[in-house]
Amino acid sequence: QVQLVESGGGLVQTGGSLRLSCAASGSGFSINAMGWYRQAPGKQRELVATITSAGRTNYADSVKGRFTISRDNAKNMVYLEMNSLKPEDTAVYYCNAEFRRAIVSTFHVWGQGTQVTVSS
């Protein structure tokens, strides 16, 4: 019933920008932390950025200062503003969220991913 859907990926040149969006849908839940992860061809999925329900953020060193994660709690959405993009940022970007239905009942959900390709 609960799902995450990413959008906003595409092809951009080095130094360009993209804004990714992730929408959570369903009923009977609230969301704790949300985050963005990415997976390049032949590599393991890695953390990009996370944000708590209160707005506290955390970034991977490789994107710090270039990417900005934000969320709209009323809309159950999380965003990733990506600036000064580099070819090494090329990957499939996935949204992740921790949902809760009770005081101590939580579960995690992944989106299907959106492709980001940065050309040199």
Side-chain angles (χ1 to χ4, degrees), residues 36-49:
W36 288 95
Y37 293 72
R38 66 186 182 186
Q39 187 168 17
K43 297 185 65 178
Q44 192 171 6
R45 192 172 300 184
E46 64 177 357
L47 169 71
V48 176

Side-chain angles (χ1 to χ4, degrees), residues 8-46:
L11 175 64
V12 65
Q13 295 183 357
T14 297
S17 300
L18 285 173
R19 188 192 194 214
L20 306 183
S21 299
C22 173
S25 63
S27 62
F29 68 88
S30 60
I31 303 176
N32 297 326
M34 303 184 77
W36 288 95
Y37 293 72
R38 66 186 182 186
Q39 187 168 17
K43 297 185 65 178
Q44 192 171 6
R45 192 172 300 184
E46 64 177 357

Side-chain angles (χ1 to χ4, degrees), residues 5 17 22 49 61-62 76 83 94 96 102:
V5 179
S17 300
C22 173
D61 289 339
S62 60
N76 289 325
N83 300 310
Y94 297 90
N96 178 270

